[in-house]
Amino acid sequence: MSLPTPCGPRSQKHIGEGHEFTISETPEVVVCTSKPRLGFTEHEDCFRRLMEGIGNPTVIPTSGWPWEKCLENGIDFALHEYMPDYILFTDYDSVFRPQDYHKLLRVAQSHPELAAVFPVQAHRHKDMPIALSPHLSYEDDYTEQLMAHFGLTLIRSEMLLMLPKPWFWGMPNRATHVWDKDSIDPDMFFWWQVYDAGFRTAQVNDVVIGHMEIAIRWPTTRGIAWQPLKHYRANGAPDKASRPRR
């Protein structure tokens, strides 16, 4: 697979090609969680259960603006203060269970060639999973692919220490210089950097987590219709919204 980087051709060597990571029998994990000033309470419940389920590890909360600066500072702090085997990333709008983490860890521990593993999660703006590709098979335990997310993602510290910076860098559309669907968000740039350095990442196909979104319930003639808030802002109330009829 040959893919261009967001910035065009790069001269950096593929430092991750063929690299196998050190596997500890008792891996140390630090959790780096993205926390907005106001967030979903359900995520807090998921997060609490996760911490209880994995033995209450060290947690590095990242909050503030811009998101990418705060996250990178949190990662640097975790690496240099704790030197864990892995950093587990969680995002404030994800829904998950402790067993989801344990499945990710089992795959990572069994495959020293993988730099990061992540679950299946729904796309924020499309009715499909994030990074779903028609050219890949998802029948096996895991599928190696380029683009990922930070919803519940396990990344090896060894890879992060090898990965050139910048890690997070947002860029508008290179042709129009407008922030549109062809822009590069800072988190997507990170995964391009990982790929461009030659590291391997994989989606664990039987680990499926939720992606929370605010939705509106509208009465209809025969029941209730759900509408994501972003659709209401773009289009107004749905046509099917109506007073009930017998």
Side-chain angles (χ1 to χ4, degrees), residues 46-116:
C46 289
F47 188 79
R48 175 183 54 79
R49 291 192 293 269
L50 175 67
M51 296 303 97
E52 293 171 351
I54 64 178
N56 293 309
T58 299
V59 176
I60 309 295
T62 64
S63 181
W65 186 90
W67 169 86
E68 61 270 24
K69 179 185 76 172
C70 299
L71 183 60
E72 187 161 320
N73 287 341
I75 296 170
D76 281 334
F77 180 79
L79 291 174
H80 294 105
E81 289 295 321
Y82 299 100
M83 283 301 296
D85 297 286
Y86 299 96
I87 296 181
L88 176 66
F89 294 85
T90 73
D91 205 358
Y92 74 97
D93 58 359
S94 296
V95 177
F96 43 74
R97 303 159 298 172
Q99 56 262 43
D100 297 327
Y101 158 76
H102 289 294
K103 288 180 180 179
L104 294 175
L105 181 62
R106 281 197 295 271
V107 172
Q109 287 287 95
S110 301
H111 294 277
E113 73 278 10
L114 297 178

Side-chain angles (χ1 to χ4, degrees), residues 27-30 84-88 105 108-109 154-157:
E28 295 288 334
V29 178
V30 166
D85 297 286
Y86 299 96
I87 296 181
L88 176 66
L105 181 62
Q109 287 287 95
L154 198 61
I155 300 180
R156 297 187 194 273
S157 296

Side-chain angles (χ1 to χ4, degrees), residues 14-27:
H14 296 303
I15 56 176
E17 284 188 357
H19 185 80
E20 289 203 354
F21 297 92
T22 303
I23 301 295
S24 169
E25 293 184 2
T26 55

